[in-house]
Amino acid sequence: MSNNSTALFACSKCFTKHPFEELSSGQQLCKDCRGAFPFVKCTYCRSEFQQTNKVSTSTICTKCENNVKQFGKPSACEYCNIIAAFIGNKCQRCTNSERKYGPPVTCEQCKQKCAFDRKDDDKKVDGKLLCWLCTLSYKRALAKTKQSDAERRAHMKLAAQRSSKTRDNRLRGHNKRPNRVDVTKVDVTRHESNDSGSTLPPVNKLARTGNHRPPGDVLDPNSSDHVVAMTQLKEQMASLQKQLSLKDSQLLNKDKMITELKAKHFTSETELRNKMLSNEKEYEKKVEQMSLKIKSLQKEVAMLSKSNKKSATSALGSSAGNSGSGTDSPLA
């Protein structure tokens, strides 16, 4: 009745009915269909999706395929540098986040200005404000460490089980009862030995020695095999703990190196950007100075041309007056 009362939903690939919790959140696929096709990252938006066809091994999601058909190939986003800006200089993810949470802030992992402060401490990753890519990489590394821890525990459990089995086998070999003494033969040999003059121990003494418990019995916790197995397990655990501490220190050193390199890259990039901005400002200033100089020179040229025109007209007028006075004198 419980199975019939729960609502069932169809898989988008094989159309079999399953509960909603068993289907994937993105494409509504069942467990069989999810295992048949691999998960890949989109070339453009870097989001993970599952391929639905083994023939076409495309690494572009359906959303980016539609955008490429509609807008062409994208460019790099000016915030996150992901090649997913189909419209303008920003990708859709950064545009929506900027609309919701305001301008971006610096990511604490990659030191780029591509994280968005949601004003919610619960949504931070271990108290750090990370961008989308750094959040994904951190979660992936956390899942890998959990898987490796589980594998290590399973390996240690198997090793402990094997050592306990070998110890039990040894103890069973020690706990086997000794061969019983044939009383008739002992009596015969005793009579023969008495006849021959040699001495043999009585039968009840032999039976008492047969009832003696061996040193490797289960009830004896201080047996040599038990102590050896325990010391071996302790040595193995100590060596594994040393290896774990070494691996942890190596990982910490690598994380420090990565953060230092990212910080150096960020500082060099900011220095280059500041240098470019200062050069652009100097260039604009020089262009303004040159334009002002050109305008002043053009004004000087215009004034000089006007003065030349005035001097030329005055010279022409004086020459005309002189010529008129010379022609009237003979008539007078």
Side-chain angles (χ1 to χ4, degrees):
M1 292 296 291
S2 62
N3 292 328
N4 294 326
S5 63
T6 56
L8 298 177
F9 298 86
C11 175
S12 60
K13 186 71 180 172
C14 63
F15 302 106
T16 55
K17 298 285 185 177
H18 299 278
F20 185 75
E21 291 80 9
E22 293 183 2
L23 298 176
S24 63
S25 58
Q27 297 173 345
Q28 301 296 317
L29 295 173
C30 63
K31 289 182 181 179
D32 296 331
C33 294
R34 284 202 303 271
F37 301 102
F39 276 92
V40 292
K41 278 187 181 180
C42 180
T43 308
Y44 295 134
C45 65
R46 307 302 297 166
S47 60
E48 289 186 353
F49 70 99
Q50 192 172 21
Q51 293 178 349
T52 56
N53 192 359
K54 287 185 178 179
V55 178
S56 63
T57 58
S58 176
T59 57
I60 301 171
C61 63
T62 55
K63 190 176 179 181
C64 290
E65 277 185 359
N66 295 327
N67 287 329
V68 167
K69 289 176 184 177
Q70 191 174 359
F71 305 107
K73 288 187 177 180
S75 59
C77 177
E78 67 178 358
Y79 289 155
C80 61
N81 290 326
I82 297 174
I83 305 171
F86 290 96
I87 304 169
N89 297 325
K90 301 171 191 173
C91 65
Q92 194 65 33
R93 192 181 293 111
C94 290
T95 304
N96 295 332
S97 299
E98 189 178 14
R99 196 179 300 155
K100 280 184 182 179
Y101 310 112
V105 295
T106 305
C107 174
E108 294 183 15
Q109 184 68 29
C110 64
K111 306 300 180 183
Q112 291 184 358
K113 203 171 183 179
C114 56
F116 293 92
D117 193 1
R118 300 184 183 182
K119 309 296 183 186
D120 190 0
D121 293 332
D122 293 334
K123 292 184 179 179
K124 291 182 180 180
V125 183
D126 285 344
K128 292 181 180 179
L129 185 63
L130 303 180
C131 63
W132 183 71
L133 282 176
C134 291
T135 304
L136 285 181
S137 62
Y138 182 83
K139 288 181 179 178
R140 203 178 296 115
L142 193 65
K144 282 183 181 178
T145 51
K146 284 182 180 178
Q147 186 179 2
S148 62
D149 288 339
E151 288 176 356
R152 189 176 67 250
R153 285 179 190 139
H155 182 69
M156 289 177 69
K157 191 175 180 181
L158 283 173
Q161 286 177 357
R162 286 174 184 170
S163 62
S164 64
K165 282 181 182 179
T166 53
R167 190 175 67 248
D168 291 338
N169 290 329
R170 288 176 184 174
L171 291 174
R172 284 172 189 170
H174 284 294
N175 290 333
K176 284 181 180 179
R177 299 179 72 181
N179 295 324
R180 292 184 178 180
V181 181
D182 195 352
V183 180
T184 57
K185 290 182 180 179
V186 170
D187 289 333
V188 172
T189 51
R190 188 180 60 181
H191 286 298
E192 289 176 356
S193 63
N194 287 329
D195 294 336
S196 60
S198 61
T199 58
L200 284 173
V203 180
N204 54 1
K205 286 185 179 180
L206 287 172
R208 256 182 266 141
T209 55
N211 289 328
H212 179 68
R213 190 178 296 277
D217 198 0
V218 180
L219 297 175
D220 189 6
N222 297 320
S223 63
S224 61
D225 294 330
H226 185 74
V227 173
V228 167
M230 288 294 289
T231 52
Q232 285 178 355
L233 285 172
K234 286 180 181 178
E235 287 176 357
Q236 285 179 2
M237 288 180 70
S239 64
L240 288 170
Q241 285 177 355
K242 285 181 182 178
Q243 289 178 4
L244 279 172
S245 61
L246 285 171
K247 292 288 183 184
D248 290 335
S249 62
Q250 288 176 1
L251 284 171
L252 286 171
N253 291 326
K254 286 181 179 179
D255 287 336
K256 286 179 182 178
M257 287 174 65
I258 288 166
T259 51
E260 287 176 359
L261 289 171
K262 285 183 178 178
K264 285 180 182 178
H265 177 71
F266 178 72
T267 51
S268 61
E269 192 175 358
T270 51
E271 285 176 358
L272 286 171
R273 283 181 182 174
N274 292 328
K275 200 172 183 180
M276 286 175 66
L277 289 170
S278 63
N279 289 331
E280 285 180 359
K281 286 179 182 178
E282 288 179 359
Y283 175 74
E284 288 176 357
K285 284 181 181 178
K286 285 182 180 178
V287 168
E288 287 179 359
Q289 289 175 0
M290 294 296 289
S291 62
L292 291 171
K293 202 170 185 180
I294 288 166
K295 285 180 182 178
S296 64
L297 288 171
Q298 284 176 352
K299 285 180 182 178
E300 287 179 3
V301 168
M303 291 188 62
L304 287 171
S305 62
K306 282 181 182 179
S307 62
N308 287 330
K309 282 180 182 179
K310 285 181 181 179
S311 61
T313 52
S314 62
L316 286 171
S318 63
S319 63
N322 292 328
S323 61
S325 62
T327 51
D328 290 339
S329 59
L331 291 172

